[in-house]
Amino acid sequence: MSKPQADPVLVEIVAGTLAAIEKEVETSIGRTSRSPMIRDAHDFRAGIHDRQMRKLTGRSYSALVQPVVRDYPIATMAPGDVYFHNDVYLSEGGIGHLPDLCVTVPVFADVDGAPTVVAFVQAFGHHDDIGGAVPGSMPSAATSVFEEGLMVPPIKLWDRGVPNESALKIMTRNSRMPDSLAADLDAECSACLAGARRLGELFDRYGVEAIEACFEATLTSSTEVYRREVLSQIPDGTYVWEDYAEHDGVDEPQLHRQRITLTMDSTADVPLVIDFTGTGPQAKGPINHCGDYADGNFLKKWLAPVLRNLAATPERMAQLDVNEGVVPLIEMRFPEKGTLLTPVFPAPTNARTFVILRLLGVLAGVLAKATGGRMPADQETIRYTGVYGTDADGEPYLMREVLGGGSGGRYYADGEDTIHVVPDSRNLPTEFTESRFPLRIERLALAQDSGGPGRYRGGCGYEKDIRVLRDAHFMSIADRSILSCWGVKGGKAGRPFSITVDPGGPDEHEVDALADAEPLRAGTVVRVRTTGGGGWGDPLERPVDEVLQDIAWRKVSVDGARRDYGVVVREDGSVDADATDRLRAEVRGARPDVEPFFDRGPGYALLSGGASANEFDFL
């Protein structure tokens, strides 16, 4: 029997309703949770999936329903059930590290007089502490997942509306922030249950068959749009590129390789093949990511937003959702077990952002090679920094945030400043930080000269000065402190990440980007400077008036204008046009006949034995 055809008007109604429910779930979590990471930094997201476990919404990535259904068959589920998991190795690739806690609620509708699962509402987010060796559950020198916190495989956290108090006691007992954890879990469970009720009302109003036909139409349309508008921009052929994480917290800094061989065949049913063969061995430290589960389902949806840059216009790119419709178009091929993307239990994973963020850049880089540069330069927009100690009342505190960085320059525009790859995430407000913790924020600004020079400049990172008012410790989980965000097609690399204690003072010193417990005496300032995005195109082609505007906005210094753009500015702020022309001509004349397509910055030579580029960096 053929499936019912979807009413096109109803398809739009359903799509709008799904987006509204997803937003309502996230808003509810944000307003009722307790931890700064969830409530204020917004480091979480929701997702809606059909009963085939396919992601229907596209404004945010989410975890997977597959591990829940694997352990709790759909036929055993009942209204009011809530499922929970955070086990990296039993999440089918949907959970990257233990602080990411996932709540899943089945949606029920009446089918032939019986309540039947017809969809799922899910939320997962990064929580303050789930146990482990250090506050925040992200030990930078972990060599085993057992050091990273409490592992919970899929369990039934609520049974027909009744919370499992024993499980909640175990989880909160293992956390240094038990009250925040309990409140966050309650907020997430309640929000997803409310979202499930809202979605159930949609099925009740229009009927299961009609709604599921709309689901099918939405995903089919997405598949065809990506095939026709996006993948068609990639010339048939095979392309190779690689990039690196720089350290794992255990061994000395080195090039931890992530390689993609991309094959495009527009005549094939599955036109795009992403092959990770050549990716480096599993690290001793916690930068591994379990990507090779569920046929790479999570990674397909994680990487697919990069493809949107191939849309005809930026406006069209913003209209394209990433839902399960992209999955049939991509085949992923993983190397043997024991690599950065195929780690063997119990390899640590808490800093897996070093790998999955880099993969976004590797895919962008290989697509840039395929398309002659019609992709943005590199960005690094997640790193975890924080301060912990004891407040004036003798209570422990943890102030942690996920500061963004600059995005890469694009073929049509500069990169954006201080963005975060997690939708709607943000830095902690100064007023909140100073009222809740014994800290004072003395400076929050753009990091001048951090954006990679280019015809289109990379976005700037943050510069944040934090003064501790009581003895405390500083922590950091960050990459790109040696290797920079790369520039493309003549654009130059951005400035790397850095942490400076007592800047300008007698005890000034740099802190490693992977640090668990840097001691800070009361009154000390710690400066965090995040990465700038890579530049796109020749910086000598940037119009002089745009460089002057950058100086006025304090994104580029006068010295940086001369050094990076060949623009000579007099003391009165005017441009010396003749000197500028001479300097730009001199810089052009000194260039080699053949330059690499990518600029990795000076840090690459430090880890590569002196090389400035690799064999894949040339067209």
Side-chain angles (χ1 to χ4, degrees):
M1 187 174 77
S2 62
K3 295 181 179 179
Q5 295 297 307
D7 180 332
V9 175
L10 185 57
V11 169
E12 294 301 313
I13 293 172
V14 169
T17 302
L18 293 180
I21 292 171
E22 182 181 72
K23 185 65 174 177
E24 182 178 339
V25 170
E26 291 192 352
T27 301
S28 177
I29 292 171
R31 289 186 174 183
T32 59
S33 58
R34 182 167 175 176
S35 69
M37 188 63 74
I38 299 294
R39 184 186 66 193
D40 301 285
H42 202 90
D43 193 4
F44 68 96
R45 70 278 327 156
I48 299 176
H49 309 253
D50 69 4
R51 64 168 136 185
Q52 298 177 58
M53 300 171 289
R54 299 178 301 180
K55 185 174 182 290
L56 300 169
T57 47
R59 64 173 295 275
S60 179
Y61 63 91
S62 66
L64 303 179
V65 178
Q66 280 85 340
V68 175
V69 172
R70 178 198 65 213
D71 292 358
Y72 293 89
I74 288 177
T76 67
M77 296 179 178
D81 286 352
V82 178
Y83 299 89
F84 172 90
H85 69 284
N86 77 324
D87 189 317
V88 172
Y89 286 90
L90 294 179
S91 72
E92 299 295 327
I95 297 293
H97 58 181
L98 296 182
D100 281 349
L101 309 184
C102 183
V103 168
T104 305
V105 174
V107 179
F108 288 82
D110 184 84
V111 177
D112 298 327
T116 303
V117 174
V118 291
F120 297 90
V121 176
Q122 188 177 75
F124 89 112
H126 187 124
H127 293 252
D128 274 343
D129 190 277
I130 192 68
V134 302
S137 307
M138 296 183 67
S140 63
T143 57
S144 164
V145 71
F146 294 110
E147 301 170 60
E148 298 178 317
L150 182 68
M151 287 181 286
V152 183
I155 63 171
K156 188 182 291 188
L157 190 60
W158 289 35
D159 188 352
R160 299 175 185 264
V162 179
N164 184 335
E165 298 294 343
S166 296
L168 290 168
K169 284 181 180 179
I170 292 171
M171 285 190 281
T172 54
R173 179 60 175 166
N174 277 271
S175 174
R176 296 172 180 84
M177 308 288 170
D179 293 340
S180 291
L181 179 59
D184 288 350
L185 285 174
D186 187 60
E188 289 158 353
C189 292
S190 299
C192 287
L193 285 166
R197 288 193 296 271
R198 285 286 306 276
L199 188 51
E201 293 168 1
L202 187 69
F203 281 93
D204 292 341
R205 182 174 182 180
Y206 294 105
V208 173
E209 283 194 0
I211 296 301
E212 290 191 331
C214 292
F215 290 171
E216 201 68 44
T218 297
L219 297 181
T220 299
S221 174
S222 181
T223 301
E224 292 310 310
V225 165
Y226 272 86
R227 185 190 297 272
R228 182 178 66 252
E229 297 187 30
V230 176
L231 298 188
S232 64
Q233 303 305 308
I234 307 173
D236 283 359
T238 297
Y239 313 90
V240 186
W241 201 63
E242 67 183 35
D243 203 4
Y244 317 92
E246 64 196 25
H247 55 172
D248 72 344
V250 176
D251 287 330
E252 290 298 310
Q254 60 183 279
L255 298 177
H256 294 273
R257 182 176 63 252
Q258 290 134 79
R259 180 182 295 173
I260 286 179
T261 299
L262 183 147
T263 301
M264 179 66 193
D265 181 357
S266 58
T267 66
D269 291 338
V270 183
L272 191 65
V273 176
I274 298 175
D275 189 340
F276 298 106
T277 301
T279 292
Q282 172 180 311
K284 293 179 183 177
I287 65 172
N288 307 290
H289 176 68
C290 301
D292 58 327
Y293 291 85
D295 297 322
N297 185 288
F298 177 83
L299 274 183
K300 290 179 184 179
K301 288 175 283 190
W302 169 261
L303 294 174
V306 173
L307 298 170
R308 297 185 302 176
N309 288 281
L310 297 173
T313 65
E315 292 76 18
R316 180 57 176 155
M317 177 182 71
Q319 295 171 349
L320 298 180
D321 285 341
V322 176
N323 55 33
E324 205 78 17
V326 303
V327 170
L329 298 173
I330 304 171
E331 176 187 348
M332 288 195 164
R333 297 176 182 172
F334 292 93
E336 70 287 347
K337 281 289 188 180
T339 71
L340 289 169
L341 275 176
T342 59
V344 178
F345 181 83
T349 67
N350 74 76
R352 94 298 187 206
T353 50
F354 295 9
V355 168
I356 62 173
L357 285 179
R358 195 69 65 254
L359 288 179
L360 293 171
V362 180
L363 180 57
V366 77
L367 288 170
K369 289 184 69 174
T371 61
R374 199 170 176 272
M375 294 295 292
D378 192 31
Q379 65 181 32
E380 177 78 5
T381 60
I382 293 181
R383 76 276 305 150
Y384 304 90
T385 60
V387 180
Y388 64 92
T390 303
D391 64 21
D393 296 325
E395 295 295 324
Y397 73 89
L398 169 63
M399 187 288 291
R400 186 173 58 176
E401 60 184 332
V402 189
L403 287 173
S407 70
R410 298 156 284 183
Y411 66 91
Y412 57 88
D414 293 343
E416 298 292 337
D417 303 319
T418 60
I419 67 164
H420 196 306
V421 73
V422 178
D424 297 330
S425 288
R426 55 191 74 100
N427 64 297
L428 292 181
T430 295
E431 297 81 0
F432 169 81
T433 301
E434 293 185 344
S435 65
R436 182 159 178 172
F437 307 113
L439 306 170
R440 186 163 65 233
I441 308 303
E442 301 205 336
R443 177 178 171 83
L444 180 61
L446 297 180
Q448 193 176 54
D449 290 329
S450 60
R455 166 59 190 90
Y456 295 107
R457 175 184 42 74
C460 294
Y462 281 102
E463 184 170 293
K464 187 166 189 174
D465 287 4
I466 305 169
R467 186 180 297 276
V468 298
L469 304 182
R470 297 174 59 84
D471 290 354
H473 289 86
F474 180 83
M475 61 166 54
S476 172
I477 299 290
D479 202 28
R480 292 299 201 205
S481 64
I482 302 172
L483 301 174
S484 301
C485 295
W486 44 264
V488 66
K489 203 174 183 179
K492 302 303 180 182
R495 292 282 185 88
F497 175 83
S498 65
I499 305 163
T500 307
V501 171
D502 193 28
D507 190 34
E508 178 176 339
H509 63 278
E510 299 294 311
V511 177
D512 192 84
L514 276 171
D516 289 334
E518 175 70 18
L520 301 174
R521 295 192 306 273
T524 301
V525 170
V526 58
R527 173 172 294 166
V528 179
R529 187 177 170 109
T530 69
T531 51
W536 193 98
D538 186 351
L540 301 184
E541 298 297 326
R542 188 168 179 85
V544 170
D545 61 337
E546 293 185 20
V547 177
L548 287 178
Q549 183 66 77
D550 287 338
I551 293 172
W553 286 340
R554 300 184 182 179
K555 295 185 179 184
V556 173
S557 67
V558 171
D559 288 344
R562 182 186 185 102
R563 178 187 64 244
D564 299 329
Y565 295 95
V567 175
V568 181
V569 180
R570 301 186 181 97
E571 289 186 5
D572 63 2
S574 64
V575 172
D576 187 330
D578 291 339
T580 294
D581 290 342
R582 289 194 301 271
L583 179 57
R584 285 186 162 185
E586 180 183 332
V587 172
R588 287 191 181 98
R591 289 173 173 171
D593 293 335
V594 178
E595 292 186 287
F597 195 62
F598 302 90
D599 178 68
R600 297 182 180 273
Y604 179 73
L606 295 176
L607 300 183
S608 67
S612 61
N614 68 33
E615 60 180 305
F616 304 115
D617 288 345
F618 298 84
L619 290 183

